[in-house]
DNA sequence: GTATGTGAACTATTTCACAGCT
DNA sequence: AGCTGTGAAATAGTTCACATAC
């Protein structure tokens, strides 16, 4: 089992395995080998076994893994029993996409608040969440016990929004703005930089023969 | 200069530096040290120097880097002189966000086509691009010389859409669907899995004291 | 004195190889 | 025979330390 901390790359893949295992359970497939699971998620069999090794030992030699058992173990270790409240700042297309994305609900992530600076958007509802003025962040985040803040505003306003979120007590930030933002050490930040992803692809296009 | 291939992680950061350098040039700052540049993008000075070392040697000891020179060199090596055509499949909130995102235009990425399967969306225009039926993919991608395809459809339809894109000759795919999709070796695929990003954050929330 | 460029050391992550279980 | 679990080897990526240039 090991009490050591699991590498971030492994954690990310564990969620991937879980997603696949849920599908398998739904199909009433009771057992799967690391090779088969790996093929379904485009990873090697060893990678799968090494990753699952961080969680415990419940594979059966010669047979593979019991899907139900694996599902239970992964859900437990990945904290799927807990629910987290999420607030989205910026109700443009991207913010709306996140608010309406059905995947979050099934993954124990609760979209409980949305903010924007544009007057005409305030008061509108997107997927049951009423958009509020950015000035309401502090009060709302505390009241609604939000732990994850999503920054989906233009680059210029990103740092300011992040500062507001941090001082409201948010513990994690997922940043979609194409800007480098600074937060205190105790706040975990994750950047998803769409234009850099596309640019990196374009680089590899330019540099292959 | 080195002819060796630059690691993907470095390439991604080079785009980050370039973005910052463009800002600096706009502010008429003519010179910058690796430490100052690193601070602006939350990276160490050594990391900056190591990365720039892949591109060439144009820093001046004791002074730093000439911003104009660095800008020119980065633009050249990152292929910013070339323009790539991009097609988006799936015109939901996320697809619309990508189509309207102003950042792409300034980064030599041209959104030239959009597809959806919902009849009521066909014919509508988003940011000058007319949404077409998914059945038109093959013809359009070829005609419009699209090299990058973006998959922004639900998980169930992702593999099918990817197959269509691949057989139309697309060379890269950026996949936003929470599904593992398979493509031939010569096609480069990049996955952006929003719910996994959030889940990974939630894991770290659950496992810190 | 200040700041670059880089080999060497270190750390993280992946892959190999195989012993051991069913 | 088939498949897991895991040390050991290999690879990739980051940080250190310092010689060198201005």
């Amino acid at each position: 089992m090991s009490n050591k901390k699991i590498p971030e790359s492994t954690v990310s893949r564990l969620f991937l395995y879980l997603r696949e295992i849920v599908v398998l359970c739904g199909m009433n497939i009771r057992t799967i080998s690391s090779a088969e699971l790996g093929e379904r998620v485009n990873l090697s069999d060893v990678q799968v076994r090494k990753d699952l090794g961080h969680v415990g030992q419940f594979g059966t030699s010669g047979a593979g893994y019991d899907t139900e058992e694996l599902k239970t173990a992964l859900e437990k270790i990945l904290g799927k029993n807990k629910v987290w409240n999420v607030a989205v700042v910026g109700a443009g297309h991207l913010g709306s996409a996140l608010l309406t994305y059905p995947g979050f609900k099934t993954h124990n992530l609760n979209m409980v608040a949305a903010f924007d600076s544009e007057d005409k958007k305030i008061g509108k509802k997107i997927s049951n969440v009423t958009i509020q003025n950015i000035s309401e962040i502090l009060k709302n985040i505390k009241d609604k016990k939000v732990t994850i803040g999503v920054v989906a505003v233009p680059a210029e306003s990103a740092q300011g929004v992040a500062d507001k979120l941090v001082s409201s007590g948010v513990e994690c930030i997922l940043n979609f703005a194409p800007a480098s933002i600074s937060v205190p050490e105790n706040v975990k930040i994750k950047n998803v930089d769409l234009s850099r992803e596309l640019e990196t692809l374009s680089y590899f296009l330019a540099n292959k023969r």
Side-chain angles (χ1 to χ4, degrees), chain A residues 25 30 33 37 42 48 72 88 101 142 147 167 178 187 199 205:
Chain A
C25 285
R30 306 292 315 197
S33 70
L37 181 52
N42 296 316
V48 172
T72 309
V88 176
Y101 183 55
K142 286 197 167 144
T147 44
S167 56
V187 175
E199 287 175 320
L205 272 179

Side-chain angles (χ1 to χ4, degrees), chain A residues 137-155:
Chain A
I137 286 183
L138 188 71
K139 184 176 177 309
N140 258 269
I141 297 262
K142 286 197 167 144
D143 286 0
K144 291 182 177 158
K145 299 196 179 2
V146 169
T147 44
I148 302 178
V150 177
V151 176
V153 300

Side-chain angles (χ1 to χ4, degrees), chain A residues 17-33 36-38 40-41 65-68 70-71:
Chain A
Y17 304 145
L18 177 54
R19 190 155 76 197
E20 206 60 38
I21 292 294
V22 169
V23 173
L24 293 168
C25 285
M27 293 164 71
N28 256 308
I29 292 171
R30 306 292 315 197
T31 209
I32 190 156
S33 70
E36 289 170 310
L37 181 52
R40 295 183 71 106
V41 296
Y65 299 86
D66 181 293
T67 51
E68 288 292 344
L70 190 51
K71 177 162 168 271

Side-chain angles (χ1 to χ4, degrees), chain A residues 48-114:
Chain A
V48 172
R49 290 200 300 279
K50 257 278 152 73
D51 287 339
L52 294 179
H54 286 280
V55 185
Q57 300 150 279
F58 29 67
T60 310
S61 305
Y65 299 86
D66 181 293
T67 51
E68 288 292 344
E69 196 186 349
L70 190 51
K71 177 162 168 271
T72 309
L74 283 173
E75 282 176 345
K76 191 180 165 209
I77 200 140
L78 295 176
K80 298 295 268 188
N81 51 328
K82 294 181 185 161
V83 177
W84 304 101
N85 293 329
V86 182
V88 176
V89 187
H93 282 291
L94 181 57
S96 308
L98 295 166
L99 286 164
T100 53
Y101 183 55
F104 296 136
K105 279 173 202 129
T106 62
H107 291 304
N108 300 41
L109 294 163
N110 238 289
M111 297 289 174
V112 295

Side-chain angles (χ1 to χ4, degrees), chain A residues 117 134 151-163 175-181:
Chain A
S117 56
I134 283 203
V151 176
V153 300
E156 313 82 75
S157 7
Q159 182 67 59
V161 165
D163 292 344
N175 173 42
F176 286 93
S180 306
I181 64 186

